[in-house]
Amino acid sequence: MAKNETSVPEYDFAAIEKKWQQRWDEQRLYKATDNPDPDNKFYMLVMFAYPSGDIHMGHFRNYIIGDAVARRQMMLGKDVLHPFGWDAFGLPAERAAIVRNIHPDDWTNQNIGVSRKTLQRVGISFDWSREVASCAPDYYRWTQWMFIQLFRKGLAYRKKGFVNWCPEDKTVLANEQVKDGCCERCGTIVEQKEQIGWYFKITDYADRLIDDLEDLDWPANVKTMQREWIGRSYGLEVDFTIEETGEKLPIFTTRPDTIYGVTFMAIAPESDIVGKLNMDDRHAAAVAEYRRKTAMRSNIERSSLTDDKDGVFTGKYAINPYNGEHVQLWVADYVLAGYGTGAVMAVPAHDTRDFAFARRYGIPIRVVIHPDENTTLDVNTMDDAFVEYGPMVNSDRFDGRAGKEAIDAVSTYAEEQGFGRRKVNYKLNDWSISRQRYWGCPIPIIHCDTCGSVEVPESDLPVVLPPVENFKPRGRSPLADVPEFMNVRCPKCGGEAQRDADTMDTFVCSSWYYLRYCDPHNDREPYEKKKVNAWLPIDLYIGGITHATGHLIYFRFFQKFLHDIGWARDTEPAKVLFNHGMVMDAHGEVMSKSKGNVTSPITLTEQRGVDIGRMAMFFTAPSERPVLWSEDSVTGVEKFVTGKLYPTIAEYRGSDPDLKQRFNDGELSKPEFKQYIKLNQTAKRVNESYERLQFNTAIAALMELVRDYNPSDITNDALNDQIILKTIQMVAPLAPHIAEEMWQLAGFETSVFNSSWPEFDPEAIIGDTVEVAIQVNGKLRDTVIVPAEPDQETVEAAAFASEKIQTYTQGKQIIKKIFVRGRLLNIVVKG
RNA sequence: GCGAAAGUGGCGGAACUGGUAGACGCGCUGGAUUUAGGAUCCAGUUCUUUACCGAGUGGGGGUUCGAGUCCCCCCUUUCGCACCA
């Protein structure tokens, strides 16, 4: 064996990790350029983290995936931007600070320090010179700037309305922060409360937010969730008339073809239409009582009563403009005040909810759609509404029309007659952003009795969050009790005025952070456009699925807005999105402190080393699937790294090979050629695995390569050394420290991450012989070994030479033969 | 209830456009080494069987020379939506 006798030091991971983390830092290996080549750049982004103090396995997994991608992109010669920062405002800091009796600012900064150190310890290739924290005045100054831009375009406005109110956190929540009727953060049942606050008019962007999903390379489920959340539907708005007052009562419907089947109308209890009806005392009292009752019910109670529709009659009637019919007007809580016009036309025969309601209160049911020409529906035997399309009946001039065509005809008629118009509705509501809390970005608005809501002049930004002793929640913003903060002069008229006391939803802060990374220290503007346009769009954005209908809609909205006002070229922030799977314990349970089943990446890496921890995480499952973490995940990978991979460096012969050199069959011995083939097959497989973020199969391929590597068969030093060096390069993005150490032991003075990612020799993927499967009638009966790239005759000759094949074909009629190049021959026989 | 995705050994998981199912690893079994344990190495490991044969990717049907992969029905799991008119 041509073994190099220089002794290789033992694998001391602690020393190796420390050494390389220090050197990488000194060399500024991860420092991103300000002037990337736009055709050769890679913006690798992982989601902003909340600095809770400990980095858990979920973070670890998220960041090592991004890290592997970033490091490989470096080796592919790209200009790489791989930044990190902190989503540092928000309730948890405020609560922790209350409990510990320290200031949220101190608590947050301490945690950032600890978390940053942990991330550095696990060797993530973040460019820390670009770190941002959303609670820093030089960051939130520009969050306020963003608010002002929206305000100037009329896209930030203040209104009084019903909002989600968390009684525990004592603050307003956005729809996106309410889960199953409960506060997403603390689980308390959310109440509806009338409150004045600021909104972003995201609904203006609803169409673009849906339509532009088309071109995004995002997981299909996220796109579907966003489409459903925005909830676009096309329909007709029809003006019914209130009988006595003659007032218009517009309603929205997606089924104009059922309009002759309307037998009653229903109004949402919260709708202000209810107040305009002129009800007599008896009905007014009943309605008031009903409204009071609904107000007390929480959202979950209301939605869980799906089958049990109730309501109350107003004593009033409305007129259907199509046929002049007078129908009863009810108040019912299955109608939502916040969608459409807050009132609906009810067609019991063709809507499940209306059907249940009509049956309960004995309201007439009239069939106006038949399943088809030959089938008629009988009201008396129906046990549910018929909701499909079909020909219209009992519908005057429209009888016989069906489906989309019917809807068109009915809609056009309304438009011609002037009592209706085609309309698009959305489930998406405007984004409520006011929070009655201390630890957030102050809203840069001054309220003046004469001038109204006035923006703080840009030169006065940031509006600094004042130091406050007592920031306990009391149901209104703690800032409201700080007169030095609140009382200011109006920037317009100079009169006495008051600041807005609320702070912004932290999702505002995280809606533009990816732009700030491109120019994080700019103190004249949020960022230089040129820099943002050079780095954007994000080439790969990695995070958990939890943000599908929150952050991932908000930041698309911001990007589009900034595009519209000339601050960004791109209309979408991230071309590719990837959701990694969760990390759970060995039994598939979510890790949590209360369950006591938390494994810390810090402990893991201290005991086994960072690279082993990373490799184990990568190897256990492909990146998008959940990982059930257990010690068994580590065993095999640890044996491989310390027992197989690392010792190969002792076989290095110091030939300083040209890694671009390709060998051909003739210049290598048979066993050498075999190993050369294996190397190139592996390079191909590893490449494909990296592209799909399937690092588990990349590791499997590398394990095979190292297993089959046999230096005693190799006399060609250049080949031997090429195998070793390329192995190191291929494993480097996954296990950076050990790879860098081996690279140095091989004699290199520059980083492995500055070397070129190995390409494979396409001529060396197929060996000199191949195994071809021989099937008879589609069943595998034998395999034959033939020279590479065989033609059909060669394989057939080999096949019919096989005794096994003969026993299956003898005395039978051969009908046809199917030959798949390099794969198989299928002989179809009869008899 | 509606919608989507997924069901492969004892376990985590491989299998590109239909083409040799179970790569790689864990675990397990046997052997070597060792005073012993551990570690390491070698061999085996889908099921049934001594072996051959046969069966086999949740169940049932279909298309095809050939199906884990495509189509239909059913079951299970996970996720999302959940009165959106």
Side-chain angles (χ1 to χ4, degrees):
Chain A
M1 198 195 284
K3 191 171 168 169
N4 186 330
E5 289 304 320
T6 41
S7 64
V8 173
E10 206 158 300
Y11 173 55
D12 177 354
F13 64 79
I16 289 175
E17 284 161 13
K18 200 171 161 208
K19 165 178 156 189
W20 289 110
Q21 284 169 14
Q22 230 164 44
R23 292 217 191 155
W24 290 331
D25 191 37
E26 288 160 16
Q27 295 165 2
R28 306 196 175 277
L29 185 65
Y30 313 134
K31 182 127 177 54
T33 170
D34 273 336
N35 309 300
D37 174 355
D39 300 319
N40 193 43
K41 61 90 188 176
F42 199 94
Y43 187 172
M44 172 66 243
L45 185 65
V46 292
M47 285 181 186
F48 227 19
Y50 183 77
S52 60
D54 46 345
I55 296 294
H56 56 68
M57 285 303 230
H59 294 123
F60 180 67
R61 187 173 190 205
N62 188 160
Y63 304 149
I64 63 175
I65 295 168
D67 187 59
V69 172
R71 287 178 187 273
R72 176 162 167 272
Q73 292 297 331
M74 285 175 71
M75 294 173 75
L76 286 168
K78 299 272 178 72
D79 287 328
V80 173
L81 173 59
H82 187 207
F84 197 70
W86 309 97
D87 190 11
F89 271 137
L91 278 178
E94 208 174 298
R95 296 181 67 89
I98 291 165
V99 171
R100 275 157 249 235
N101 204 25
I102 55 170
H103 197 273
D105 202 12
D106 297 332
W107 185 83
T108 303
N109 284 319
Q110 273 170 30
N111 281 341
I112 288 178
V114 173
S115 300
R116 187 198 299 114
K117 222 173 138 195
T118 310
L119 292 176
Q120 287 166 339
R121 270 276 295 110
V122 297
I124 311 290
S125 60
F126 293 132
D127 177 358
W128 288 103
S129 73
R130 289 173 183 261
E131 178 183 8
V132 302
S134 63
C135 65
D138 64 358
Y139 182 91
Y140 70 69
R141 170 182 179 183
W142 303 112
T143 307
Q144 291 169 344
W145 182 92
M146 297 280 165
F147 181 99
I148 287 170
Q149 308 311 308
L150 286 158
F151 177 70
R152 287 181 186 164
K153 294 284 172 192
L155 293 168
Y157 66 96
R158 207 154 93 115
K159 74 167 180 194
K160 192 173 185 182
F162 281 95
V163 294
N164 305 302
W165 178 262
C166 174
E168 170 69 21
D169 289 336
K170 295 195 172 50
T171 187
V172 168
L173 302 174
N175 288 350
E176 288 77 4
Q177 291 163 327
V178 180
K179 200 103 171 102
D180 296 328
C182 298
C183 172
E184 188 186 42
R185 204 199 61 78
C186 66
T188 312
I189 293 174
V190 169
E191 297 167 359
Q192 296 301 303
K193 188 172 161 181
E194 213 166 19
Q195 176 111 14
I196 192 161
W198 287 93
Y199 290 80
F200 287 164
K201 213 168 176 200
I202 194 171
T203 49
D204 270 14
Y205 284 76
D207 277 321
R208 289 163 69 190
L209 287 169
I210 287 189
D211 295 338
D212 293 354
L213 283 171
E214 193 77 28
D215 301 321
L216 293 183
D217 185 2
W218 282 25
N221 59 340
V222 175
K223 292 208 236 180
T224 307
M225 281 163 74
Q226 293 207 348
R227 266 188 215 106
E228 284 175 1
W229 185 265
I230 297 166
R232 177 165 60 190
S233 57
Y234 297 94
L236 182 69
E237 201 170 84
V238 183
D239 297 326
F240 280 62
T241 316
I242 296 170
E243 192 182 48
E244 283 159 48
T245 64
E247 209 173 328
K248 279 182 182 167
L249 177 56
I251 56 88
F252 175 75
T253 179
T254 54
R255 290 299 301 274
D257 57 326
T258 66
I259 201 149
Y260 285 83
V262 174
T263 56
F264 69 100
M265 307 277 286
I267 304 170
E270 299 91 345
S271 169
D272 31 344
I273 302 166
V274 179
K276 299 182 193 161
L277 289 177
N278 264 328
M279 284 175 280
D280 62 48
D281 291 349
R282 190 169 61 86
H283 286 103
V287 169
E289 168 62 18
Y290 182 72
R291 291 179 85 175
R292 212 175 50 78
K293 215 178 74 197
T294 357
M296 278 165 54
R297 277 200 232 154
S298 68
N299 275 355
I300 9 171
E301 268 181 292
R302 264 175 85 167
S303 59
S304 67
L305 296 168
T306 309
D307 299 323
D308 195 19
K309 306 264 171 289
D310 70 352
V312 52
F313 182 47
T314 62
K316 298 290 166 186
Y317 293 81
I319 304 164
N320 182 340
Y322 279 84
N323 56 13
E325 274 187 11
H326 294 223
V327 294
Q328 306 172 3
L329 203 42
W330 288 69
V331 171
D333 74 355
Y334 76 90
V335 182
L336 305 173
Y339 182 80
T341 63
V344 300
M345 67 180 210
V347 185
H350 305 293
D351 181 283
T352 313
R353 299 153 299 183
D354 300 342
F355 186 89
F357 195 89
R359 274 283 154 88
R360 173 161 180 175
Y361 293 106
I363 299 168
I365 297 171
R366 185 194 304 152
V367 170
V368 293
I369 301 281
H370 279 167
D372 56 63
E373 264 82 25
N374 310 315
T375 321
T376 53
L377 290 173
D378 177 6
V379 174
N380 301 313
T381 59
M382 285 171 79
D383 50 11
D384 201 357
F386 175 75
V387 298
E388 333 249 303
Y389 293 109
M392 293 171 70
V393 292
N394 301 324
S395 299
D396 195 12
R397 77 194 74 224
F398 300 105
D399 280 357
R401 296 180 177 246
K404 197 184 165 331
E405 197 251 334
I407 290 172
D408 265 353
V410 175
S411 302
T412 303
Y413 183 74
E415 285 176 339
E416 282 166 6
Q417 298 295 311
F419 57 71
R421 57 221 78 88
R422 286 182 168 85
K423 188 151 194 247
V424 184
N425 252 316
Y426 306 90
K427 287 195 229 173
L428 182 75
N429 292 127
D430 280 340
W431 175 12
S432 144
I433 61 120
S434 291
R435 297 292 177 271
Q436 294 67 42
R437 299 304 300 247
Y438 170 71
W439 191 235
C441 176
I443 292 172
I445 289 289
I446 290 166
H447 300 289
C448 168
D449 282 343
T450 41
C451 307
S453 295
V454 181
E455 66 180 65
V456 173
E458 276 186 37
S459 55
D460 290 354
L461 297 182
V463 177
V464 178
L465 198 56
V468 167
E469 287 294 311
N470 186 358
F471 37 77
K472 285 200 175 112
R474 272 162 295 184
R476 62 172 184 164
S477 171
L479 294 179
D481 298 317
V482 185
E484 315 83 273
F485 175 79
M486 291 300 290
N487 300 325
V488 284
R489 294 265 158 204
C490 169
K492 250 192 196 158
C493 68
E496 285 186 12
Q498 298 240 298
R499 286 194 193 279
D500 198 287
D502 289 345
T503 52
M504 291 186 224
D505 180 5
T506 56
F507 277 116
V508 180
C509 311
S510 58
S511 287
W512 71 282
Y513 75 111
Y514 62 97
L515 298 164
R516 184 69 178 174
Y517 283 143
C518 300
D519 194 9
H521 307 296
N522 196 327
D523 57 4
R524 300 174 320 279
E525 47 187 359
Y527 51 81
E528 216 177 287
K529 276 182 238 174
K530 203 181 75 192
K531 291 180 181 170
V532 154
N533 285 339
W535 278 117
L536 273 248
I538 297 159
D539 293 278
L540 177 61
Y541 193 19
I542 303 181
I545 186 79
T546 46
H547 293 107
T549 54
H551 164 67
L552 290 173
I553 290 182
Y554 297 142
F555 93 132
R556 294 182 59 220
F557 162 59
F558 260 67
Q559 180 73 31
K560 288 179 192 304
F561 169 69
L562 290 166
H563 167 84
D564 291 353
I565 59 168
W567 274 86
R569 177 198 57 216
D570 298 290
T571 54
E572 282 291 337
K575 267 198 302 211
V576 186
L577 175 74
F578 184 84
N579 298 124
H580 67 269
M582 297 208 296
V583 182
M584 292 176 294
D585 76 1
H587 310 288
E589 301 268 356
V590 177
M591 289 187 182
S592 73
K593 277 181 192 155
S594 56
K595 285 188 187 135
N597 60 351
V598 178
T599 311
S600 157
I602 303 157
T603 325
L604 170 70
T605 53
E606 273 169 4
Q607 289 171 352
R608 322 300 278 267
V610 170
D611 290 334
I612 303 286
R614 291 169 58 121
M615 290 286 276
M617 189 60 92
F618 285 132
F619 188 60
T620 305
S623 304
E624 72 280 4
R625 303 257 290 246
V627 155
L628 306 190
W629 183 258
S630 83
E631 276 292 298
D632 294 347
S633 310
V634 183
T635 315
V637 139
E638 186 168 45
K639 274 198 247 179
F640 168 67
V641 173
T642 63
K644 305 262 166 49
L645 174 71
Y646 186 65
T648 58
I649 196 62
E651 306 296 340
Y652 191 70
R653 298 175 192 167
S655 69
D656 190 20
D658 172 9
L659 291 176
K660 298 247 182 274
Q661 186 190 347
R662 289 175 178 180
F663 298 89
N664 54 51
D665 203 350
E667 60 191 302
L668 297 175
S669 72
K670 260 201 161 43
E672 281 174 342
F673 188 63
K674 226 174 131 183
Q675 294 197 53
Y676 182 62
I677 296 285
K678 185 72 184 181
L679 172 68
N680 286 287
Q681 286 174 336
T682 305
K684 185 166 185 282
R685 279 172 70 189
V686 167
N687 239 320
E688 289 162 356
S689 296
Y690 269 96
E691 288 293 331
R692 289 187 288 161
L693 305 184
Q694 266 194 17
F695 303 115
N696 56 332
T697 50
I699 293 172
L702 288 166
M703 284 173 164
E704 283 186 44
L705 177 64
V706 172
R707 178 196 66 194
D708 291 353
Y709 168 61
N710 186 359
S712 58
D713 279 350
I714 301 178
T715 52
N716 185 321
D717 290 349
L719 173 65
N720 179 76
D721 289 357
Q722 189 181 109
I723 294 174
I724 292 174
L725 295 181
K726 286 191 171 174
T727 304
I728 295 171
Q729 289 178 311
M730 287 189 278
V731 84
L734 305 176
H737 307 89
I738 196 169
E740 191 75 293
E741 178 73 10
M742 290 171 74
W743 193 250
Q744 190 193 38
L745 288 171
F748 289 90
E749 277 160 24
T750 53
S751 169
V752 67
F753 299 105
N754 290 328
S755 73
S756 297
W757 181 253
E759 288 172 6
F760 61 88
D761 176 355
E763 302 292 311
I765 296 301
I766 302 159
D768 48 7
T769 59
V770 287
E771 195 188 13
V772 177
I774 310 298
Q775 299 179 336
V776 177
N777 287 347
K779 285 199 166 148
L780 180 72
R781 293 306 181 189
D782 201 6
T783 60
V784 295
I785 292 177
V786 290
E789 305 190 48
D791 54 19
Q792 188 164 350
E793 285 93 75
T794 316
V795 176
E796 277 183 31
F800 287 109
S802 149
E803 274 181 43
K804 282 192 198 164
I805 296 305
Q806 283 169 15
T807 58
Y808 287 101
T809 55
Q810 226 153 39
K812 311 233 166 114
Q813 188 195 347
I814 294 170
I815 295 168
K816 61 173 162 178
K817 291 172 274 197
I818 288 138
F819 180 65
V820 183
R821 264 193 70 213
R823 286 240 162 217
L824 63 74
L825 175 73
N826 185 12
I827 303 161
V828 185
V829 300
K830 201 173 88 178

